[in-house]
Amino acid sequence: MNQLSPEEKNNLPRHVALIMDGNGRWAKSRRMPRLFGHRNGVENVRAVVNTAKEVGVPYITLYAFSTENQNRPSDEKSGLMKLLEEFLKKELSSMMEDGIRLRAIGDLSGLPDFAQKIVEDTIEQTQENENWNLTLALNYGSRQEVLKAVSKYAQNHPGSANVPTWEQFSPYLETAGLPDPDLIIRTSGEFRLSNFLLLQAAYAEIFVSPLHWPDFGRDAFLEALADYARRERRFGKTSEQIQPSVHIL
Ligand code: FPP
């Protein structure tokens, strides 16, 4: 797919979150080391972010490193952190030119100092940008995020037995200020959320691509957006409530 139709452009998600899976398998199939897959995965981050800007998806969130990824061999972890540093250094000028604001979710204190520093510096330098929003999930786990949010909420409401509303509770999550994801894309054919945005994904549409992440380029991303545009999101309501005119005829 090369282009979206005008109708598809009218039904784009506002926030797409991506689980970038399959870098290792992509590299293995080429008899190359896993880091070669991650390096090509980073190239693909550029392709997807550029496509989001091209068609007008203002929020992109990338699952770059999960709490469970901490269990990977140390050379793979340090390689990933170096790729992250290289990416942010290289992209800063275009982020400023294009008005991209960087955010991070996850426990940054669990990253090596140099990685934590470049992420924090880039967040600070881009904080006034408001055209596009790129969020990196780094050392992120949804359960850990929720447990921390519960603890902070309880600290701020000592002695209260009231059950909070979602509107009262959600600002305690690390995604405070971001809209919920409308579409979650996972590459490499696995049908799992893997501890990613579990509460925020309550009404997200899910798209699974058989392609490994380094192969999930512009065309595949457009396919996913077109597929999303054809779906009917009911948020628990009936089809008739969502589109009354269609059913009156
Ligand atoms: C999953 O592939 C991918 C990751 C664990 C890391 C994703 C990270 C990047 C693409 C690079 C860093 C990101 C940025 C934004 C600079 P896998 O290794 O689990 O693949 P496999 O399941 O085939 O082994």
Side-chain angles (χ1 to χ4, degrees):
M1 161 170 270
N2 210 358
Q3 209 112 53
L4 294 176
S5 70
E7 203 170 292
E8 286 161 350
K9 279 191 185 153
N10 277 336
N11 281 307
L12 284 176
R14 197 168 160 229
H15 183 178
V16 179
L18 296 110
I19 304 176
M20 309 180 287
D21 199 8
N23 294 346
R25 277 164 281 176
W26 186 90
K28 196 173 175 192
S29 71
R30 287 162 175 76
R31 297 171 192 272
M32 293 296 279
R34 297 179 58 81
L35 269 174
F36 179 72
H38 294 317
R39 182 167 284 283
N40 281 273
V42 176
E43 286 311 312
N44 200 48
V45 165
R46 291 192 174 89
V48 166
V49 171
N50 284 336
T51 310
K53 283 191 289 168
E54 174 197 329
V55 298
V57 174
Y59 291 87
I60 292 286
T61 296
L62 301 171
Y63 204 4
F65 194 78
S66 69
T67 45
E68 290 72 23
N69 290 153
Q70 291 284 12
N71 301 319
R72 295 206 171 186
S74 54
D75 57 342
E76 180 171 348
K77 284 193 290 178
S78 63
L80 272 169
M81 291 302 127
K82 283 182 199 137
L83 284 174
L84 173 68
E85 183 189 33
E86 209 177 280
F87 172 80
L88 291 176
K89 274 190 181 158
K90 245 190 191 166
E91 294 306 311
L92 180 63
S93 59
S94 60
M95 289 173 94
M96 298 311 289
E97 253 164 52
D98 295 340
I100 301 182
R101 176 173 176 181
L102 184 81
R103 293 181 180 81
I105 53 174
D107 181 4
L108 296 185
S109 72
L111 302 182
D113 289 349
F114 74 90
Q116 192 179 334
K117 180 164 171 18
I118 182 103
V119 172
E120 283 169 352
D121 287 353
T122 314
I123 290 173
E124 203 186 311
Q125 291 178 74
T126 62
Q127 67 186 343
E128 306 291 331
N129 293 347
E130 44 191 34
N131 296 342
W132 310 101
N133 301 273
L134 176 62
T135 301
L136 300 180
L138 291 163
N139 198 26
Y140 173 83
S142 191
R143 285 187 170 172
Q144 293 84 337
E145 174 196 28
V146 171
L147 293 172
K148 272 195 219 156
V150 168
S151 158
K152 272 194 240 159
Y153 183 89
Q155 272 171 27
N156 282 355
H157 299 82
S160 164
N162 289 345
V163 176
T165 63
W166 176 246
E167 286 68 30
Q168 289 164 334
F169 178 71
S170 57
Y172 289 84
L173 295 168
E174 289 167 1
T175 47
L178 296 173
D180 282 346
D182 301 297
L183 173 64
I184 295 195
I185 296 174
R186 181 167 187 147
T187 55
S188 248
E190 316 275 3
F191 290 74
R192 278 195 296 279
L193 286 177
S194 300
N195 207 12
F196 187 45
L197 301 177
L198 299 181
L199 295 188
Q200 297 88 336
Y203 287 101
E205 297 295 321
I206 298 181
F207 182 91
V208 175
S209 166
L211 298 174
H212 294 316
W213 174 252
D215 285 334
F216 186 83
R218 180 181 178 277
D219 288 5
F221 187 43
L222 290 179
E223 287 283 359
L225 296 176
D227 183 274
Y228 171 89
R230 287 191 291 273
R231 297 192 192 181
E232 181 186 65
R233 301 185 74 197
R234 293 194 292 276
F235 298 95
K237 295 182 180 172
T238 66
S239 198
E240 289 78 358
Q241 286 172 305
I242 303 289
Q243 294 188 320
S245 55
V246 174
H247 299 275
I248 288 165
L249 298 175

